[in-house]
Amino acid sequence: MTAPRSSAVRVSKPGDRFKRRLFSNRIGMGAFAVLALLGIVAVLFYALRLGAVSFPTNPDATVLADKLLAPSAAHWLGTDHLGRDVFTRMLHGTYVSLAVGFIAVLVSMTIGIVVGAIAGYTGGWADNILMRVVDAILCFPTFFLILTVVAVLGPSLINVIVVIGLVGWTGTARLVRAEFLTLRESEYVRAARTLGQSHVKIIFRHILPNAMPPVFVAAVLGVPDAILTEAGLSFLGIGVQPPQATWGNIIADGKTYILDAWWLILFPGLAILVTALAFYLAGEALREAGQTKTERK
Amino acid sequence: MIAFIIRRLLISFGLLFVVSLISFFIITLTPGSPYPWGDLNPRISQTTKDAYKKKFHLDEPLHRQYVLIMGDLFTGKLVSNKDERPVLPKIAERLPATLLLNLASILLVYGFGIPLGIYAASKLGRAPDTAITLAAFTFIALPGFWLAYLVVIGLVKYAEVPLLGLSTFGAAFSGPVQAVLDRVWHLAVPAVVMAVGGIAVQSRFIRATMAESLGEDYIRTARAKGLPDTLVLYKHALRNSVRPLVTGIGFLLPALLGGSVIIESIFAYPGMGRLGYEAVMERDYPILVTLNFVVAALVLAGNLLADVLYAAVDPRVRLQ
């Protein structure tokens, strides 16, 4: 029997349940809305910077007469020790935080997926060696390792991104490897092998798409980690260098005036907190929506 | 079991070797010099520079440097590039402060994280669970240094109390009780700031495994035969949720000794984190190599301990 399209009886596609659950998660949807807003701000102000347009005000313009002003109608979130408008600087710092988060995660995911796929698919000695490399990297205290490498390479936006990415791939590699170990023994992969498909095609066309959901969730949860690490590095003065405005930098500049200018500490920190929280909640919403019935109990 | 431990020990020694190689080369191959003076300082003669290089073996090829530095490390002769004091006592004098701080913070993490996680799991999907989950993610998303500064602003500005270092200067003159209270105060504030994120993470771990245990058939059976809720929760479910706790014990060793760079910097707390940070900034190779080596050894020992403990607490786990 073929049901008419408008009928309530409709074969549901596999993604439907996932979407339904995701859209009904109000906290998760709120988090995605916050992220969308941050994304718009980031893209807008990056475009402004590329175009060298100083609108609404130049984030690096110093007005020494207006230094350390408390929040007011003219300067919504106050000014810093050089008379720069904190709100403007925070808007311009948005893309730095998001770029660090996304690109660092992209780097670490790429390495993690490749290493995990090779280790899990081939097994044997390659697996053994790669996993021992992972073990060796996990022996280092992460933040300290990043700090050391960034300090010696010279602090800059690109170095911070690359180093955070290069250090953070071990978790993904383990995750992907575990998925590959189970999936490579599954019926459909054996079928593909029997049909004589190449290893590359089996890895990328058949196994990887099925291994991606947990990796994707890990990626979303990895972004705020990278953002917090960048903020910590900038705060110590070995992150992104001035005059580039970043949320961590504004706090680092403000720490000298901590008892006189609380707004230099409070607002950029709130921005970091809200951004990281939105990513964590969005990742959690994705994870919950993707869970199978047995995993939910 | 014995065979497992021996094999793991052998692998661990191999890993330690690799780690020491990596840390040595990351530190030495990068630009910057360990001289206590500027590279281009014209007042320092070539002879002085050569003498300094010779003293710390910096004139040798890199592989010789590595062998010499590791040899000195194991014979305890390694000295700091900066003040020529032996490395091990230098580290040992920073250790107690960090140990105390980390111990206090770990006690807070377990003391609050576990009950919160259990409570959240017992109310799974209901309002208290949602509230704890939101609070936990908020605390995980808190930048540690920011929280520390807010605490400093609040306490110093409005309560006018001293916070920096190990103790207030002169506190010992006000009597032993005041001196002890002063020490406790200087310990408590950074410990709480450090523990906040850990409490949140710990509660998430416990909640996840407890939620899993609570979905099992034996829990339904226990409930069906009319056992009280607390007994089901604390005896049946909790016992089967110890795995993350055991993993936690594995992380405990490095967590106890590794200092937090940021928190120790903000509170001017003289611990391991500051020692490491200062060593990076001053290119003090011997200190850095030793610190990395010690931490790596502790991580590996912790992992091994956790694996052995798994087998001890869970009869289904077989070590091979």
Side-chain angles (χ1 to χ4, degrees), chain A residues 27 132-133 135-141 143-145 147-149 151-153 221 225 228 231-233 235-238 248 251 255 258-262 265-270 272-274 276-277 280-281 284 287-288 296-297, chain B residues 11 15 18-20 22-23 26-27 30-31 124 130 133-134 137-146 149-150 152-153 156-158 204 207 211-212 214-215 261-262 265-266 273 276-277 280-281 283 288 291-292 295-296 299-300:
Chain A
I27 295 176
R132 292 296 85 73
V133 172
D135 288 346
I137 291 175
L138 286 174
C139 285
F140 288 96
F143 187 77
F144 194 66
L145 178 63
L147 192 155
T148 313
V149 178
V152 291
L153 283 181
L221 296 176
D225 289 346
L228 289 172
L233 288 174
F235 166 75
L236 285 175
I238 52 172
I251 299 180
K255 68 186 171 190
I258 169 174
L259 294 178
D260 306 313
W262 51 269
I265 310 279
L266 184 69
F267 297 121
L270 268 181
I272 299 171
L273 169 65
V274 169
L277 182 60
Y280 283 129
L281 292 176
E284 182 68 9
R287 193 185 62 78
E288 273 178 4
R296 273 186 304 153
K297 90 173 186 179
Chain B
I11 295 176
L15 277 176
V18 175
V19 167
S20 69
I22 297 175
S23 66
I26 284 182
I27 294 161
T30 42
L124 208 60
T130 313
T133 299
L134 270 179
F137 277 116
T138 308
F139 283 124
I140 297 172
L142 268 179
F145 60 90
W146 183 63
Y149 271 128
L150 291 187
V152 169
I153 291 178
V156 175
K157 202 167 182 179
Y158 299 107
R204 294 299 296 165
R207 177 188 173 275
E212 201 179 308
L214 284 171
V261 179
I262 287 179
S265 296
I266 292 176
Y277 180 61
V280 169
M281 289 309 159
R283 304 280 193 278
L288 285 174
L291 279 180
N292 273 327
V295 172
V299 171
L300 290 167

Side-chain angles (χ1 to χ4, degrees), chain B residues 15-296:
Chain B
L15 277 176
L16 265 183
F17 172 67
V18 175
V19 167
S20 69
L21 266 182
I22 297 175
S23 66
F24 177 79
F25 283 103
I26 284 182
I27 294 161
T28 48
L29 279 181
T30 42
S33 68
Y35 305 133
W37 52 79
D39 259 343
L40 298 172
N41 189 339
R43 290 195 202 151
I44 307 297
S45 71
Q46 194 58 43
T47 352
T48 318
K49 282 185 188 169
D50 288 343
Y52 184 86
K53 275 187 169 179
K54 192 154 185 65
K55 191 190 263 160
F56 295 106
H57 311 305
L58 296 171
D59 51 347
E60 306 266 2
L62 274 181
H63 64 275
R64 282 283 301 159
Q65 280 189 38
Y66 173 77
V67 174
L68 285 167
I69 213 169
M70 292 316 282
D72 282 351
L73 173 61
F74 285 117
T75 49
K77 286 189 297 193
L78 199 58
V79 295
S80 158
N81 276 355
K82 290 297 140 193
D83 50 13
E84 293 179 41
R85 289 182 50 210
V87 168
L88 293 178
K90 247 187 110 129
I91 291 176
E93 73 183 24
R94 297 291 190 105
L95 200 53
T98 288
L99 206 58
L100 206 60
L101 178 60
N102 290 346
L103 196 65
S105 130
I106 286 168
L107 284 179
L108 288 172
V109 166
Y110 281 94
F112 286 94
I114 295 174
L116 277 173
I118 295 174
Y119 182 66
S122 73
K123 306 277 180 201
L124 208 60
R126 281 180 276 162
D129 176 36
T130 313
I132 291 178
T133 299
L134 270 179
F137 277 116
T138 308
F139 283 124
I140 297 172
L142 268 179
F145 60 90
W146 183 63
L147 179 65
Y149 271 128
L150 291 187
V151 169
V152 169
I153 291 178
L155 287 176
V156 175
K157 202 167 182 179
Y158 299 107
E160 297 188 347
V161 290
L163 275 174
L164 300 181
L166 283 176
S167 56
T168 312
F169 179 73
F173 296 117
S174 339
V177 179
Q178 282 85 346
V180 169
L181 284 178
D182 183 62
R183 277 300 296 267
V184 170
W185 169 252
H186 279 84
L187 181 70
V189 178
V192 169
V193 172
M194 254 174 90
V196 163
I199 292 173
V201 172
Q202 190 67 39
S203 81
R204 294 299 296 165
F205 278 143
I206 297 291
R207 177 188 173 275
T209 40
M210 278 293 279
E212 201 179 308
S213 301
L214 284 171
E216 300 284 347
D217 287 342
Y218 64 81
I219 296 292
R220 200 180 313 155
T221 312
R223 288 227 167 99
K225 67 182 184 185
L227 288 183
D229 251 10
T230 41
L231 195 68
V232 174
L233 205 58
Y234 290 101
K235 195 166 173 208
H236 294 71
L238 189 59
R239 277 202 184 174
N240 284 287
S241 310
V242 292
R243 275 187 80 102
L245 291 181
V246 173
T247 314
I249 290 174
F251 289 125
L252 218 53
L253 276 180
L256 270 173
L257 301 184
S260 157
V261 179
I262 287 179
I263 298 295
E264 288 185 7
S265 296
I266 292 176
F267 291 98
Y269 200 84
M272 301 276 280
R274 291 251 298 184
L275 181 70
Y277 180 61
E278 285 156 16
V280 169
M281 289 309 159
E282 295 172 341
R283 304 280 193 278
D284 199 339
Y285 302 152
I287 296 263
L288 285 174
V289 169
T290 313
L291 279 180
N292 273 327
F293 193 82
V294 171
V295 172

Side-chain angles (χ1 to χ4, degrees), chain A residues 105-234:
Chain A
V105 164
L106 200 67
V107 171
S108 62
M109 287 296 140
T110 312
I111 303 175
I113 288 173
V114 170
V115 170
I118 294 174
Y121 187 75
T122 57
W125 60 268
D127 180 27
N128 233 322
I129 291 178
L130 289 173
M131 285 304 109
R132 292 296 85 73
V133 172
V134 169
D135 288 346
I137 291 175
L138 286 174
C139 285
F140 288 96
T142 317
F143 187 77
F144 194 66
L145 178 63
I146 295 173
L147 192 155
T148 313
V149 178
V150 172
V152 291
L153 283 181
S156 73
L157 180 57
I158 194 76
N159 283 352
V160 168
I161 292 176
V162 171
V163 173
I164 294 177
L166 284 181
V167 171
W169 56 271
T170 48
T172 317
R174 283 190 161 176
L175 198 64
V176 174
R177 172 179 174 270
E179 293 287 321
F180 266 69
L181 280 179
T182 34
L183 288 173
R184 74 169 183 189
E185 303 300 334
S186 60
E187 296 279 327
Y188 77 94
V189 171
R190 285 190 195 182
R193 209 174 291 147
T194 317
L195 288 171
Q197 298 213 316
S198 69
H199 290 308
V200 176
K201 202 163 181 186
I202 293 177
I203 290 178
F204 287 103
R205 279 287 296 280
H206 298 298
I207 303 187
L208 197 55
N210 285 299
M212 277 316 276
V215 177
F216 186 66
V217 171
V220 175
L221 296 176
V223 172
D225 289 346
I227 290 176
L228 289 172
T229 306
E230 183 274 326
L233 288 174
S234 289

